[in-house]
């Protein structure tokens, strides 16, 4: 009898042969004709790219045009792509680069995690990253931080523009202090608030401290410009504010390369303008109050602006509340017979209804830093070296090319001015027409020079970041895994710590990236 053997198809082979439904995402940030042509090129490229892969099934092209990539909520097609993934219509996504997908590190990681949970993976063509085979999302965090720098460079140019307005005296104070209003480009005295300002200085001249003055104002039911209650730091700031005598100091604070604001203790140039606006307080009273404040500081051993008190500890001035933006203050808490160090949001201490952020233990912060640094030490070759290379290459070629182009435009501009002078000398041009054309060329040349200076400024900022990454890489190459917290190491590499909750913080490194860690 013939024996018949039935061959059963292996289910695993069937799964292996099922095609992945692959879609592509494209985006351009402006709706100019050149950018729209680029978008069409991307669409054609990815349609052909997906259809050429025998293991993929074309699931469509999703594209946003003329929309910034900074926030995902502004991109309708990206949101539609995510929705289709949730509805199990897509298995795999292809995109040009992290900067095309998201320029905000938080959004990028949030979307990647969400898609991975849905079983949908992303391939970033430029960075050659496939989220399905990625060993750690820390690498993606750093690379997406690099993409975010492209958006931040625009802010750097704006910062440079403000610096120029400081120098030529055209900067306008858009947010005047308590006691003044802003109208038609000028600071005008608010008569009602001015009386409160005079009361504050009168009390200070009588020897009362900032805390007692704040309490007196709160009892009278007088509201400050921001918040519901007066606090001592607000009073101290007013008593040292030169605007109350009619002067203005420009650039009291500055923004660093990571766009964090700091008090200017001489790191940047300042510009003093006398008689900038109408005074509320006489110079004599203002100077007397300043002497009283300095005398009290000397008695307590605190030198103004030295940071002796504020920066006694590694975390001093570096912990920032993600809810209200306030700084954390060091305190000693007691649990039974045991005492421990805690850091509390200053706004939560005084106005708990406006900020609900609870305290965090110093020991937890130290352990989070140790964990984060050990991750960098372990993964330095796959994390910091690519980061250093990317920073070295970033935007430099484009900037140099644009500077070269601008220099040629300046040369052409100079030739045009020389031609005007010759025509004027030969009597072919009327003086009025000559002045008009010459002024236009001067304005044009100035704009070219300004742009060159702006590009140089941006490149110098990238050089600063590169230096910080190089220092971090040099340290991690030599360092052993950390066991205990070292304040000097913390101060060397960390710019700020953002407290998101009692379970998570973000260490913003001096090289510009922010790394989240659990507490």
């Amino acid at each position: 009898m013939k024996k018949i053997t039935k061959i059963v198809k292996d289910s695993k082979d069937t799964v292996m042969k099922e095609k992945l439904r692959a879609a592509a995402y494209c985006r351009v940030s402006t709706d100019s004709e050149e950018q729209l042509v680029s978008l069409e090129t991307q669409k054609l490229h990815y349609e052909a790219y997906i259809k050429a892969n025998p293991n993929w099934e074309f699931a469509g092209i999703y594209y946003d045009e003329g929309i910034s990539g900074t926030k995902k909520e502004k991109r309708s097609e990206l949101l539609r792509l995510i929705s289709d993934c949730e509805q199990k219509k897509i298995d795999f996504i292809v995109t040009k680069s992290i900067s095309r997908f998201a320029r905000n590190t938080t959004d990028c990681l949030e979307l990647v995690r969400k898609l991975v949970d849905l079983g949908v993976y992303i391939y970033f063509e430029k960075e050659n990253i496939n989220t399905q085979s990625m060993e750690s999302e820390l690498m993606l965090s750093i690379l997406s931080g690099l993409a975010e720098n492209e958006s931040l460079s625009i802010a750097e140019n704006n910062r440079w523009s403000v610096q120029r307005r400081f120098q030529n005296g055209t900067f306008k104070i858009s947010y005047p202090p308590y006691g003044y209003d802003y109208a038609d480009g000028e600071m005008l005295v608010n008569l009602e608030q001015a009386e409160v300002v005079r009361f504050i200085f009168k009390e200070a001249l009588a020897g009362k401290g900032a805390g007692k003055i704040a309490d007196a104002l709160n009892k009278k039911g007088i509201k400050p410009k921001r918040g519901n209650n007066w606090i001592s730091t607000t009073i101290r700031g007013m008593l040292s504010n030169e605007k109350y005598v009619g002067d203005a100091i420009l650039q009291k604070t500055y923004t660093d390369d990571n766009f964090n604001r700091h008090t200017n203790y001489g790191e940047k140039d300042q510009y003093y303008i006398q008689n900038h606006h109408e005074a509320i307080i006489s110079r004599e009273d203002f100077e007397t109050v300043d002497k009283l404040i300095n005398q009290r500081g000397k008695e307590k051993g605190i030198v103004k602006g030295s940071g002796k008190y504020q920066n006694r500890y590694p975390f001093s001035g570096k912990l920032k509340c993600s809810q209200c933006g306030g700084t954390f203050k060091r305190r000693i808490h007691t649990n039974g017979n045991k005492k421990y160090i805690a850091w509390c949001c200053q706004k939560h201490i005084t106005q708990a209804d406006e900020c609900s952020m609870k305290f965090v233990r110093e020991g937890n912060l130290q352990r989070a830093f140790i964990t984060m640094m050990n991750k960098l030490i372990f993964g330095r070759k796959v994390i910091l070296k690519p980061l250093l290379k990317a920073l070295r290459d970033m935007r430099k070629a484009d900037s140099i090319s644009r500077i070269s182009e601008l220099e040629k435009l300046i040369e052409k501009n100079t030739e045009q001015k020389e031609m005007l002078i010759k025509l004027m000398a030969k009597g072919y041009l009327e003086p009025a027409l000559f002045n008009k054309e010459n002024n236009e060329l001067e304005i044009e040349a100035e704009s070219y020079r300004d742009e060159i200076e702006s590009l140089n400024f941006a490149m110098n900022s990238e050089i600063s970041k590169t230096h910080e990454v190089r220092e971090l890489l040099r340290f991690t190459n030599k360092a052993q895994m950390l066991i205990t917290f070292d304040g000097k190491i913390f101060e060397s590499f960390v710019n700020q710590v953002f407290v998101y909750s009692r379970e998570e913080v973000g260490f913003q490194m001096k090289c510009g990236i922010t790394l989240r860690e659990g507490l």
Side-chain angles (χ1 to χ4, degrees), residues 405-421:
E405 181 184 338
L406 289 166
E407 287 174 345
K408 289 178 182 178
L409 288 172
I410 289 173
E411 287 179 11
K412 184 178 179 181
N413 180 280
T414 303
E415 290 172 1
Q416 289 174 327
K417 284 193 287 187
E418 289 174 354
M419 180 62 68
L420 278 177
I421 293 170

Side-chain angles (χ1 to χ4, degrees), residues 13 15 71 122 136 151 154 177 222 228 263 278 307 313 360 386 392 412 438 441 446 458 460 471 477:
D13 291 339
V15 174
K71 293 290 183 182
I122 310 172
S136 170
S151 289
I154 297 170
I222 298 171
N228 295 321
T263 300
E278 185 181 350
Y313 310 101
V360 291
R392 283 171 173 166
K412 184 178 179 181
N438 191 61
L441 288 171
E446 184 65 23
N460 288 337
E471 290 300 307
N477 277 332

Side-chain angles (χ1 to χ4, degrees), residues 14 74 106 174 214 220 271 328 333 358-359 393 403 416-417 502:
T14 304
K74 296 181 180 180
T106 303
S174 57
K220 288 185 176 185
Y271 307 89
F328 277 59
H333 285 192
K358 299 291 181 67
F359 71 88
D393 298 339
I403 289 172
Q416 289 174 327
K417 284 193 287 187
R502 300 183 79 180

